[in-house]
Amino acid sequence: MSQLDQQAMEKIVNSHEEERFTYFMKEVVANREIWILTDEHGCVMLNTEEEDCVPVWPNKEFAEAWATGEWDVCKAESISLNKWHSRWTTGLEDDELAVVVFPNQNEEGQVLFPDEFDFELTKQERKR
């Protein structure tokens, strides 16, 4: 993957959540990895009114851009798409966690249950 310049990143981050979702799916399937943030306690979480969520990003640059303020000790970590399908989907379901796809700085992003997220990934993979 080529490095994204700051202007391109800002344009993508500031786009509507549906556009970020589409960008996320294409990038993840193309690069075969999903990015999360971790700290000494494990995976970073976001909370909505209804759900506890694991935020995911399409690449390292976007995940690292989130590692500021209270999250400045966090590290971007990639998870292979195969590992996501084989372990993370069922693990998140077992823990009753949702996924928030490519949240912006206002913590807004599409929230999906793990099986819905897996379905969308698989659908995108079939398009390739």
Side-chain angles (χ1 to χ4, degrees):
M1 183 192 80
S2 62
Q3 293 288 335
L4 290 166
D5 66 33
Q6 192 63 36
Q7 187 175 5
M9 283 182 67
E10 285 178 22
K11 182 178 182 215
I12 294 163
V13 166
N14 292 324
S15 63
H16 190 272
E17 71 181 42
E18 290 165 3
E19 293 170 3
R20 290 194 318 276
F21 181 85
T22 300
Y23 177 86
F24 174 92
M25 287 294 163
K26 288 179 180 174
E27 285 292 299
V28 163
V29 169
N31 297 318
R32 308 288 306 157
E33 60 188 5
I34 294 171
W35 289 85
I36 62 170
L37 285 177
T38 61
D39 62 15
E40 70 272 10
H41 305 293
C43 185
V44 167
M45 306 286 287
L46 286 177
N47 306 87
T48 68
E49 290 178 17
E50 299 89 29
E51 305 294 336
D52 291 332
C53 303
V54 172
V56 293
W57 290 272
N59 53 44
K60 185 177 185 177
E61 291 91 343
F62 288 112
E64 286 178 339
W66 258 73
T68 62
E70 65 181 275
W71 292 11
D72 65 354
V73 297
C74 297
K75 302 279 184 255
E77 183 179 315
S78 69
I79 301 165
S80 74
L81 206 46
N82 290 341
K83 185 185 268 188
W84 187 276
H85 286 306
S86 68
R87 295 190 197 149
W88 278 75
T89 298
T90 54
L92 291 172
E93 286 177 328
D94 291 346
D95 292 340
E96 298 182 4
L97 298 172
V99 177
V100 59
V101 179
F102 198 178
N104 63 15
Q105 294 300 323
N106 296 324
E107 300 183 6
E108 300 165 334
Q110 288 194 357
V111 176
L112 299 172
F113 291 110
D115 60 330
E116 296 171 320
F117 182 68
D118 204 69
F119 174 80
E120 292 296 330
L121 285 170
T122 301
K123 192 166 76 172
Q124 183 66 36
E125 288 174 289
R126 289 188 181 125
K127 291 181 183 179
R128 288 202 64 175

